[in-house]
Amino acid sequence: MRTDELIAALATNAGPAPTRRGPARITIALMGGVSASTLACLTCLGANPALLTMGTGLAVKLAYVIGVLATTAWWLGRAGRPGADWRRAASAALVVAAVMAFWAAISVWQAPADARSTLLLGQSWTSCPWRVAVLSVPAWALAMWALSGMAPTRPHLAGFAAGLFAGSVGALGYAIFCPEVSPAFVSAWYTLGMLIPAFIGALAGPRLLRW
């Protein structure tokens, strides 16, 4: 039998590579990242005293961030398994972002013209993305560690997923301090803050995730 025929025979119906360590490592990254991000926010920025009075705005913001976190955790697990289909998880994350963007557009459209810029920029648009990105650093390191113990075959993609996962963890921690509840603000600047570690992860993936 030729070598290529042997390889083809071995690979037939092989399916995704099985893994037992992946979910455990991602859980550690999640718990460790959320704990570190929350502690860093409380230590460096403090808690917003009006946090419990923000009502629906806070609920929408948290729903968006948790939605991104849940879908990217799924994506992260798929990205670390050779042969696993990651497209549904990536599509789910995109749907979450699209729904939030649609909600933001409706809220801006319904607002008076002179209030629209305030809804988009709030009081902290220049600092929000960077704070989210900085608070994502522990989760970023843990997510890359989680992937390094798996077997990602697309390091750029896996690194992007890890960074987006970490960014959502950073956004969750930052929400403790953040005074903004406008859907337009959250859709624009929280998303940008989550994308910063995602693009860094995509660039660092081939170097850090080689196996």
Side-chain angles (χ1 to χ4, degrees):
M1 180 180 289
R2 294 180 179 178
T3 303
D4 54 351
E5 293 175 345
L6 175 60
I7 294 172
L10 292 173
T12 300
N13 298 322
T19 180
R20 297 177 181 177
R21 293 185 299 172
R25 294 174 77 92
I26 293 172
T27 300
I28 292 172
L30 173 62
M31 296 178 64
V34 169
S35 299
S37 176
T38 301
L39 181 60
C41 183
L42 290 174
T43 302
C44 300
L45 299 174
N48 189 334
L51 187 66
L52 298 180
T53 65
M54 290 181 177
T56 303
L58 177 63
V60 171
K61 176 166 64 174
L62 291 178
Y64 173 54
V65 172
I66 293 172
V68 176
L69 178 57
T71 53
T72 52
W74 178 24
W75 186 358
L76 197 61
R78 306 301 288 176
R81 295 185 62 193
D85 184 7
W86 53 270
R87 292 177 178 82
R88 285 188 299 172
S91 297
L94 184 61
V95 167
V96 171
V99 169
M100 188 64 192
F102 178 76
W103 183 258
I106 293 296
S107 69
V108 171
W109 178 70
Q110 292 179 336
D114 58 352
R116 290 173 180 171
S117 62
T118 301
L119 290 177
L120 178 62
L121 301 178
Q123 305 172 20
S124 57
W125 70 275
T126 57
S127 59
C128 172
W130 305 110
R131 286 172 172 170
V132 169
V134 169
L135 289 173
S136 75
V137 170
W140 189 92
L142 286 169
M144 297 300 279
W145 165 81
L147 280 175
S148 69
M150 300 166 71
T153 56
R154 297 172 178 262
H156 286 294
L157 175 71
F160 184 88
L164 198 57
F165 167 86
S168 63
V169 172
L172 188 61
Y174 180 60
I176 297 171
F177 167 82
C178 181
E180 315 287 355
V181 293
S182 163
F185 182 96
V186 173
S187 179
W189 308 114
Y190 270 60
T191 302
L192 178 58
M194 289 187 279
L195 285 173
I196 291 172
F199 282 112
I200 293 174
L203 292 174
R207 181 179 293 272
L208 298 179
L209 301 176
R210 288 183 295 181
W211 55 282

